[in-house]
Amino acid sequence: MADDRPASVFFFAPFVSSTMAIEPGWIDYNGHLNMAYYHVLFDRAVDEAFGVVGLGPDYMETGRGTTFAAEVHVRYRRELVLDDRVRVTLQLIGFDEKRIHFYSEIRHATEGWVAASSENLSLHVDPMTRRVAPFPEDIQANLSVMLGSHARLPRPDDLGRVIGIPDRSHPRPEAIAFAAAGARVRH
């Protein structure tokens, strides 16, 4: 007698992609990986991670749904060159019935240093209507298991960063207190 229960999923915390190589055409005139290809590496890893959850290419092909990127914040930390091999980690930060919030890091495959980080918000989309739609229950269940596994991880330092140039005309409150105590403030 066949067991009709869905198989449970298991997630490493964080998810770690396969090892990826830097392709020669991705190197720019500065002799390092062009910024656009950091996104390619992140995207390939997202495809792997989402495939484990049930959101892979076959999910789209069957017409159940797909995901679209809604917002991405990338921080470039260290340059990559042609001979580097990388792996991408992915940590699920949260989700609701229509959105997934996750954080990824491109890491050197053998030395472990972080080359870039990426915070992302993706939307679940009905491929027929091209509109945001709720995840099916089985996908939400898989995301719950993944989130439970990833919830034990520390909150990434790069999460929630804001881009901007510090306003030097209005010192930060801690700088004012430091100056009032007689110390020299350096910006």
Side-chain angles (χ1 to χ4, degrees):
M1 183 165 161
D3 186 357
D4 292 335
R5 290 179 297 159
S8 21
V9 291
F10 172 79
F11 296 100
F12 289 100
F15 171 86
V16 180
S17 76
S18 59
T19 301
M20 295 180 265
I22 307 301
E23 297 182 18
W26 297 356
I27 301 299
D28 65 18
Y29 55 82
N30 292 311
H32 62 211
L33 184 65
N34 179 276
M35 65 178 273
Y37 296 101
Y38 283 82
H39 292 267
V40 171
L41 294 168
F42 280 125
D43 193 51
R44 287 180 178 177
V46 168
D47 285 347
E48 287 183 34
F50 280 16
V52 175
V53 177
L55 294 170
D58 56 331
Y59 182 74
M60 169 61 179
E61 290 167 10
T62 62
R64 292 185 72 204
T66 190
T67 58
F68 286 2
E71 189 169 353
V72 178
H73 295 224
V74 175
R75 183 173 182 212
Y76 304 95
R77 310 268 305 265
R78 188 164 168 183
E79 64 184 352
L80 291 167
V81 295
L82 183 59
D83 293 333
D84 288 328
R85 300 289 179 265
V86 299
R87 295 181 75 129
V88 178
T89 60
L90 183 142
Q91 179 178 349
L92 182 61
I93 303 300
F95 75 95
D96 64 17
E97 76 262 354
K98 298 178 184 179
R99 298 173 292 197
I100 303 173
H101 179 202
F102 60 96
Y103 172 83
S104 300
E105 291 179 339
I106 297 175
R107 293 181 166 273
H108 192 276
T110 56
E111 297 174 18
W113 44 263
V114 177
S117 62
S118 180
E119 182 177 359
N120 301 262
L121 182 69
S122 289
L123 306 174
H124 183 257
V125 174
D126 179 322
M128 300 301 289
T129 65
R130 310 291 279 188
R131 298 180 83 65
V132 177
F135 290 106
E137 288 182 20
D138 62 320
I139 300 298
Q140 286 190 40
N142 289 347
L143 288 168
S144 290
V145 172
M146 184 180 209
L147 185 59
S149 174
H150 291 192
R152 297 180 192 106
L153 295 169
R155 183 174 173 83
D157 290 338
D158 282 356
L159 199 62
R161 289 181 60 92
V162 176
I163 297 173
I165 298 171
D167 182 359
R168 301 293 186 204
S169 65
H170 295 88
R172 298 180 312 267
E174 65 272 12
I176 293 169
F178 192 64
R184 182 182 159 149
V185 178
R186 291 185 339 182
H187 288 283

